[in-house]
Amino acid sequence: MNLPVKPNETNAVAHNLYSDAYDWTNQCVKCGYCLPACPTYESMGVESASPRGRINLVKMAAEGKIDFQKDLAEPIDLCLGCRACETACPVGVPYGHILEAAKEAIENSPSANQKNKMNKIKKLALVHLFPYPKRMNRIGSAVQFYQKTGLSKIIRSSNVLQKVSPALAHLEQALPAIESSSKRIRTGTIMPAKGETKLKVAFFAGCIMDSMMSRINRLTIELLTIVGCEVILPENQNCCGALHSHQGEIKQAKALAKRNIQAFMQSDAEIIVNNAGGCGASLLEYGHLLADDHEWAGAARAFSEKSKDISQILHQLGPLPFTEEWQGIVSYQDSCHLRNVQKVQKEPRLLLQSIPGVSYVEMEGFDRCCASGGIYNLIHFNESMKILDEKMKNLKDTKATAVVTVNPGCQMQMSIGIQREGAANQIKSMHLVEILAKACGLD
Amino acid sequence: MEKEALDDLSQVIPSDRMYLDLAERYCYSYDASFGEYLPEIVIQPKNAEEISEVVKLANTHKIPVYPRGSGTSLSGGPLPVKGGMVLDMTLLRDKLIIDRENMLAIVSPGVITANIHKKAEDAGLFYPPDPSSSNVATIGGNLLENSSGPKGLKYGTTKEYVIGLEVVTPTGEIIRTGGKTVKNVTGYDLTRLIVGSEGTLGIVTEAIIRLIPKPQSKHTFVAHFNHLIDSGHAITSILSSGILPSAMELMDNACIRAVESYRPSGLPLQAEAILIIEIDGHPLAIEEEINKCADICRAEGASYVKIAETEEERQTIWSARKSVSPAITQMGPTKISEDATVPRSQIPAMMERLNQIREKYGLNLVVFGHAGDGNLHPNIITDKRNITEMKKVELAVSEIFEAAIELGGTLSGEHGIGTLKSPYMEMELGITGVNMMKKIKEAWDPNNIMNPGKIFPDKGQTRVVLVT
Ligand SMILES: Cc1cc2nc3c(=O)[nH]c(=O)nc-3n(C[C@H](O)[C@H](O)[C@H](O)COP(=O)(O)OP(=O)(O)OC[C@H]3O[C@@H](n4cnc5c(N)ncnc54)[C@H](O)[C@@H]3O)c2cc1C
Ligand code: SF4
Ligand code: SF4
């Protein structure tokens, strides 16, 4: 009674996927230990939205049993890429690698031309926007102009964005107030340590962080200098490429990685610091990304080994010279890429707990993705909000007045969640650096 | 799927809980065992009434029905071997009531077992069956496979705790068996018949399970043995000394090596066996019992005995045992996990037979298990793409079962028969024994639509076939 299974795409793409990822998919013993960890399995409740299901579908596609676009694309697209499944897997199936290989194969499959509009927008941004710091900065300035002139108030009160796209409307409101570009620290600058120099670090500014959240970058650098870091901002650094590899644009991701390696390896910094969980994970995986590239593999590995999250450095060189108390309850939402890929979970918590006056309360499900997932919340708005609303219930239970994250996407997603709850007066979404800087009297 | 059948099903189940697309069907084509069978349709019912309607339609259109929990079965239980429909039961998870007064839990079948453990514990009660898949598996799946874990020795298996069921029969009626009383001798015990029936006699839509008081405390120790035979003697001596541990877990040398190379933690590479023993009960009683057990192990030749002093040390002891599964999967992509069980006095003999099988076929075979109840897990690690080796595995698996039965044991202590062990049913039960079971199946399920292809072998099938 079985329907016939037609191998639709037994072509070069299936073949590539087979050689890239088939062995990894075969490591999966289908025990299901990853199911309880997966937020999309929880919210959607079907096996194709689970890690085990997705791994099996990649395997089926590599075997030519299912079609890349018709069958594989959607389940893969609906994955947040939070990689909580990897942490839960007893066997160590490298889900992140499988996911990337699948995305690349889907991008390159012959039937890929029937793509929808969103994909075109996505591509436009990926290819023509994120890789170019200047263009990103121009957007940053445009948004600042928009916020400063009061245009934003008019647009908000008119509700026009809500009508065009609820996803965009949410995002617009979650955007942080953008600092004037005159305050931005330029690349090429070297900031001396305050007091004795304990460590020379190079700072990875990131594309979104640099353009939209330059204030957080500035505060990051100030915090680093007050704990004794000499901070170098290498010139010619650019976007980490995370969004590109997540969207299957591996070539572009590799090109960006090489430019960064070149930019950073010229400095004599001992450590490369970043302040965005997602970017940090991507930097940490340059070694893997370029493993097959003889010319670059060694340098890529060395780069990855030097890469650290801001919380690790501040914790290592701390304690911070706090000058102000923070009265209230603080809770922390793990950035998935910081927790599951970089395996950093202790340091941000310890730093928060060290702030005078803070009562730290752990939120139920802190380790679960907030469903920001790069640009997941734009592309899969409804799915993302379902997961976020669950998170907000847990956050409310903590009675926190600040929820802290170490990633711009998570921070904005938390803001969106807070707005949806109408709780903007009771609770703030902050970057770890912001709250630490405030308590150190910087601003 | 025929259009008419599909139209009828659409009257009962809304389209957003009915899946015909290839991707979703492939996602329900496997479990944690072996085969891969594509269902024609996947349905996610929400309640007993819907299931009853679906099963009636399945009878009309002669469509096989395959109930499925979390798909962690190791014997092929939920695999849709004859196509048809998979009924994913995981949406039935709304009910988890702890009735403290009557010491009961009333649960929907899709509830994850670990949630029952937690809720019961919050109320100061205890639900003992603890398969190591309990964080993932559903209570429905546990019930139908009659699952258990290390605690089986003292507390028995799932069937000891199920006292009432709501079931959709293979012809689509909704019935109740048993009830809320611990004693119940009214008529045939259908509850016990259904528990462990692997979804061949109906679909469980609600269960009443018995809870017991939570043991006050537990004590754990580990013992290393240079000779496997000594560990066997230690087990029997402890059990005949009047102490009933809550767990007695055994790992053989191959397991020890696997765990040590996966996550080095100072296990003795030269030891032929490690025993982990846990005792629970009143703090004063277990203090005395644990020392006595440790003495017995020393007297039987243990080279090293360590009683955990703190919870941390207790966790360290258990983590060795818990690493076994992940450790051995590092040795190869395909794991054939068996659960042949022998009377506990025969454990040393069974271990010897397994050794011979390993030598004879030159396979990567490791053994661990619940020694206290004779439930061993011989695991063969291989690669299913290696056809020659897989053929050897088929022969080895047959010999494992033969050995277990010759020693007075059984094909399965906890994983069920499913597709993987059905060819050996007659070996254990004899033709008449199997026929009695078949008669029950035929009477309940005249159209043979409930989970067909499981438990009973196809005609002429005498061996497991892992590769074709
Ligand atoms: C890593 C791992 C460790 C394991 N450890 C143990 C262990 O220690 N002890 C042990 O006993 N088992 C163990 N198992 C096996 C497995 O977890 C159990 O058999 C479990 O009970 C299956 O539950 P499930 O929800 O996944 O059911 P499934 O695998 O989906 O189904 C199991 C059977 O139950 C039937 N079924 C499911 N729900 C219903 C329902 N509501 N009505 C009727 N039929 C139904 C199915 O048709 C099938 O025959 C382990 C498995 C794995 C992968
Ligand atoms: S936990 Fe790992 S091995 Fe188990 S199903 Fe998930 S990915 Fe596969
Ligand atoms: S990456 Fe996150 S969303 Fe994707 S399968 Fe893994 S746990 Fe689920």
Side-chain angles (χ1 to χ4, degrees):
Chain A
M1 273 177 96
N2 276 353
L3 293 184
V5 188
K6 278 201 211 95
N8 289 315
E9 237 159 332
T10 44
N11 50 42
V13 179
H15 194 263
N16 283 346
L17 186 61
Y18 190 92
S19 58
D20 284 351
Y22 193 65
D23 277 347
W24 290 326
T25 63
N26 263 306
Q27 284 175 27
C28 170
V29 293
K30 307 213 172 76
C31 66
Y33 276 30
C34 52
L35 298 190
C38 176
T40 60
Y41 178 64
E42 180 176 70
S43 71
M44 296 181 224
V46 281
E47 185 82 16
S48 66
S50 79
R52 181 176 64 177
R54 289 178 175 127
I55 291 166
N56 185 58
L57 286 174
V58 173
K59 188 167 148 199
M60 295 294 108
E63 286 177 4
K65 288 185 181 162
I66 60 172
D67 183 87
F68 280 83
Q69 286 302 322
K70 210 160 84 258
D71 306 310
L72 185 63
E74 186 173 308
I76 290 296
D77 213 32
L78 284 169
C79 168
L80 284 159
C82 70
R83 296 171 64 174
C85 46
E86 250 175 63
T87 311
C89 176
V91 188
V93 174
Y95 178 80
H97 299 345
I98 295 175
L99 181 69
E100 266 174 29
K103 290 206 158 166
E104 194 183 4
I106 293 167
E107 273 307 302
N108 296 327
S109 80
S111 40
N113 46 16
Q114 315 140 4
K115 283 194 179 160
N116 59 27
K117 247 174 36 206
M118 196 59 210
N119 273 339
K120 279 199 193 119
I121 299 179
K122 204 165 76 185
K123 207 156 191 165
L124 209 70
L126 288 182
V127 177
H128 298 294
L129 202 55
F130 293 129
Y132 299 100
K134 283 211 183 99
R135 293 183 196 169
M136 288 299 286
N137 285 343
R138 249 178 270 146
I139 294 197
S141 308
V143 176
Q144 195 220 348
F145 175 78
Y146 163 83
Q147 287 174 339
K148 252 175 107 175
T149 52
L151 192 61
S152 77
K153 281 208 190 83
I154 301 174
I155 295 225
R156 277 180 200 184
S157 63
S158 76
N159 230 357
V160 57
L161 267 182
Q162 189 68 37
K163 281 176 205 134
V164 180
S165 152
L168 273 182
H170 269 309
L171 193 68
E172 191 272 343
Q173 290 191 31
L175 275 180
I178 289 181
E179 209 167 56
S180 120
S181 59
S182 62
K183 284 199 176 170
R184 191 177 298 150
I185 299 172
R186 309 275 157 203
T187 53
T189 317
I190 295 179
M191 307 284 288
K194 303 227 166 79
E196 176 205 353
T197 305
K198 294 185 197 153
L199 195 67
K200 277 189 180 182
V201 305
F203 180 60
F204 177 82
C207 57
I208 298 184
M209 287 307 284
D210 192 38
S211 58
M212 306 284 185
M213 302 197 180
S214 57
R215 181 169 161 270
I216 292 173
N217 276 0
R218 174 173 62 79
L219 296 174
T220 303
I221 294 168
E222 287 179 32
L223 283 174
L224 284 169
T225 54
I226 62 171
V227 292
C229 292
E230 178 185 302
V231 186
I232 308 153
L233 256 89
E235 263 177 310
N236 301 325
Q237 56 171 299
N238 53 53
C239 169
C240 68
L243 289 171
H244 302 81
S245 23
H246 296 166
Q247 298 303 331
E249 302 284 347
I250 303 290
K251 257 195 223 132
Q252 181 101 26
K254 286 184 178 166
L256 290 168
K258 289 178 189 171
R259 272 198 260 158
N260 279 329
I261 295 170
Q262 204 155 35
F264 279 85
M265 287 320 207
Q266 276 166 7
S267 81
D268 60 347
E270 294 150 84
I271 296 290
I272 299 165
V273 192
N274 74 86
N275 60 10
C279 305
S282 161
L283 303 181
L284 209 69
E285 293 201 325
Y286 278 0
H288 162 73
L289 184 71
L290 295 171
D292 295 335
D293 189 321
H294 298 306
E295 202 181 322
W296 289 85
R301 249 194 334 270
F303 181 100
S304 290
E305 276 159 19
K306 280 186 172 185
S307 174
K308 292 270 183 297
D309 182 70
I310 177 72
S311 62
Q312 293 172 289
I313 302 300
L314 294 180
H315 180 252
Q316 182 195 330
L317 298 180
L320 287 161
F322 294 116
T323 56
E324 287 177 30
E325 287 208 351
W326 178 276
Q327 289 305 343
I329 298 174
V330 173
S331 198
Y332 175 67
Q333 161 66 32
D334 280 286
S335 141
C336 299
H337 285 106
L338 189 58
R339 183 186 181 84
N340 301 327
V341 185
Q342 302 187 65
K343 314 267 186 240
V344 176
Q345 37 177 303
K346 213 172 63 226
E347 290 86 346
R349 291 181 165 81
L350 291 175
L351 285 167
L352 286 172
Q353 284 159 6
S354 72
I355 300 174
V358 157
S359 344
Y360 181 82
V361 176
E362 202 71 84
M363 130 171 73
E364 179 93 15
F366 51 79
D367 55 351
R368 258 199 151 36
C369 183
C370 64
S372 144
I375 44 178
Y376 189 93
N377 52 2
L378 279 179
I379 305 174
H380 302 291
F381 180 67
N382 290 331
E383 287 308 337
S384 167
M385 292 305 123
K386 249 203 298 194
I387 296 169
L388 177 61
D389 290 349
E390 277 305 307
K391 170 127 304 214
M392 284 301 134
K393 279 185 211 150
N394 291 332
L395 180 56
K396 255 192 182 160
D397 289 344
T398 64
K399 305 205 161 48
T401 51
V403 58
V404 176
T405 60
V406 192
N407 191 49
C410 312
Q411 193 192 346
M412 287 216 268
Q413 180 83 338
M414 287 293 120
S415 299
I416 294 175
I418 291 166
Q419 284 163 25
R420 285 169 72 85
E421 292 284 312
N425 291 332
Q426 294 106 41
I427 178 165
K428 268 194 203 148
S429 157
M430 302 179 86
H431 191 286
L432 176 68
V433 159
E434 279 182 293
I435 190 167
L436 293 175
K438 178 105 185 47
C440 290
L442 308 169
D443 218 344
Chain B
M1 167 142 300
E2 287 150 32
K3 186 170 180 307
E4 214 174 311
L6 200 57
D7 288 346
D8 284 353
L9 284 170
S10 313
Q11 302 291 315
V12 187
I13 305 284
S15 60
D16 62 345
R17 288 193 273 117
M18 209 159 78
Y19 304 89
L20 287 157
D21 57 297
L22 198 56
E24 209 59 70
R25 284 160 52 216
Y26 262 119
C27 284
Y28 290 88
S29 69
Y30 53 77
D31 62 2
S33 71
F34 211 72
E36 176 193 304
Y37 301 88
L38 195 62
E40 288 169 86
I41 186 167
V42 178
I43 289 176
Q44 292 189 307
K46 275 204 161 148
N47 53 51
E49 288 70 30
E50 279 185 357
I51 295 172
S52 154
E53 294 299 319
V54 168
V55 173
K56 282 179 188 158
L57 288 173
N59 272 286
T60 313
H61 297 283
K62 308 281 187 297
I63 306 168
V65 179
Y66 292 94
R68 184 185 197 267
S70 297
T72 66
S73 170
L74 293 169
S75 55
L79 295 178
V81 293
K82 309 242 185 265
M85 68 170 94
V86 166
L87 278 193
D88 173 9
M89 300 292 287
T90 54
L91 294 191
L92 278 87
R93 59 179 170 212
D94 47 313
K95 200 180 276 177
L96 170 45
I97 300 167
I98 304 287
D99 175 350
R100 258 186 95 170
E101 210 164 36
N102 292 309
M103 300 224 286
L104 299 174
I106 305 170
V107 297
S108 308
V111 168
I112 304 297
T113 307
N115 291 342
I116 303 177
H117 286 146
K118 191 167 166 289
K119 272 258 190 145
E121 213 154 287
D122 288 349
L125 296 170
F126 181 39
Y127 174 63
D130 58 340
S132 45
S133 53
S134 63
N135 279 318
V136 186
T138 66
I139 185 70
N142 283 186
L143 247 102
L144 274 296
E145 296 284 3
N146 193 9
S147 300
S148 60
K151 296 202 183 89
L153 165 65
K154 179 168 177 181
Y155 295 102
T157 62
T158 301
K159 71 173 175 227
E160 255 75 62
Y161 296 88
V162 186
I163 57 172
L165 293 173
E166 181 189 73
V167 181
V168 176
T169 69
T171 42
E173 295 90 4
I174 301 176
I175 60 164
R176 281 197 166 268
T177 71
K180 288 191 178 180
T181 58
V182 173
K183 286 179 161 182
N184 181 327
V185 293
T186 309
Y188 292 156
D189 191 349
L190 296 184
T191 311
R192 284 236 173 178
L193 180 59
I194 290 164
V195 174
S197 66
E198 305 187 20
T200 59
L201 293 180
I203 300 167
V204 170
T205 50
E206 191 178 293
I208 303 171
I209 55 187
R210 203 160 60 89
L211 304 174
I212 60 175
K214 190 169 130 189
Q216 289 178 23
S217 51
K218 44 193 159 199
H219 234 324
T220 309
F221 77 90
V222 62
H224 301 171
F225 291 88
N226 288 336
H227 303 286
L228 187 72
I229 189 88
D230 295 343
S231 69
H233 289 142
I235 294 165
T236 39
S237 300
I238 288 173
L239 291 169
S240 54
S241 75
I243 297 171
L244 186 56
S246 55
M248 287 181 116
E249 296 289 299
L250 175 88
M251 290 162 62
D252 77 350
N253 180 268
C255 271
I256 298 169
R257 288 178 180 275
V259 169
E260 233 359 69
S261 72
Y262 170 64
R263 205 174 277 155
S265 48
L267 297 185
L269 289 173
Q270 83 294 349
E272 276 187 12
I274 291 182
L275 268 186
I276 297 172
I277 296 182
E278 188 158 287
I279 300 196
D280 68 6
H282 191 278
L284 295 177
I286 64 171
E287 191 63 42
E288 192 185 315
E289 288 181 349
I290 196 97
N291 288 321
K292 201 165 154 193
C293 289
D295 287 344
I296 293 176
C297 285
R298 286 188 201 102
E300 296 289 359
S303 57
Y304 171 84
V305 174
K306 162 88 186 146
I307 300 176
E309 303 292 343
T310 60
E311 178 57 24
E312 204 185 329
E313 284 180 13
R314 191 181 150 261
Q315 291 299 342
T316 313
I317 291 178
W318 274 112
S319 77
R321 171 64 180 84
K322 288 188 179 137
S323 311
V324 170
S325 269
I328 60 179
T329 39
Q330 310 296 317
M331 295 155 68
T334 307
K335 187 177 83 163
I336 317 280
S337 174
E338 288 306 347
D339 67 332
T341 301
V342 292
R344 49 192 168 224
S345 60
Q346 298 285 15
I347 288 180
M350 185 65 185
M351 294 297 278
E352 190 44 45
R353 292 287 290 267
L354 291 170
N355 233 336
Q356 287 162 6
I357 295 170
R358 173 181 16 226
E359 300 294 307
K360 177 171 170 189
Y361 293 104
L363 290 168
N364 211 347
L365 190 156
V366 310
V367 189
F368 58 95
H370 318 306
D373 49 25
N375 183 186
L376 296 177
H377 290 303
N379 274 254
I380 301 173
I381 296 96
T382 171
D383 185 337
K384 69 176 170 211
R385 290 165 290 187
N386 182 343
I387 308 286
T388 3
E389 184 157 301
M390 287 305 282
K391 285 289 164 200
K392 282 199 234 165
V393 174
E394 286 176 3
L395 296 174
V397 166
S398 297
E399 282 190 31
I400 292 174
F401 294 138
E402 277 158 24
I405 293 189
E406 272 170 36
L407 294 170
T410 176
L411 295 173
S412 176
E414 55 182 30
H415 296 166
I417 300 300
T419 55
L420 288 182
K421 297 174 202 168
S422 57
Y424 307 97
M425 285 287 278
E426 276 181 12
M427 194 160 86
E428 180 172 342
L429 301 169
I431 296 183
T432 329
V434 174
N435 276 344
M436 276 315 280
M437 289 192 181
K438 274 191 182 157
K439 279 185 199 166
I440 296 176
K441 167 74 173 165
E442 282 157 17
W444 281 58
D445 185 9
N447 292 316
N448 192 26
I449 58 157
M450 280 303 306
N451 210 351
K454 311 297 162 62
I455 300 183
F456 304 109
D458 285 340
K459 244 194 161 61
Q461 203 185 345
T462 55
R463 272 203 191 296
V464 65
V465 179
L466 299 173
V467 282
T468 43

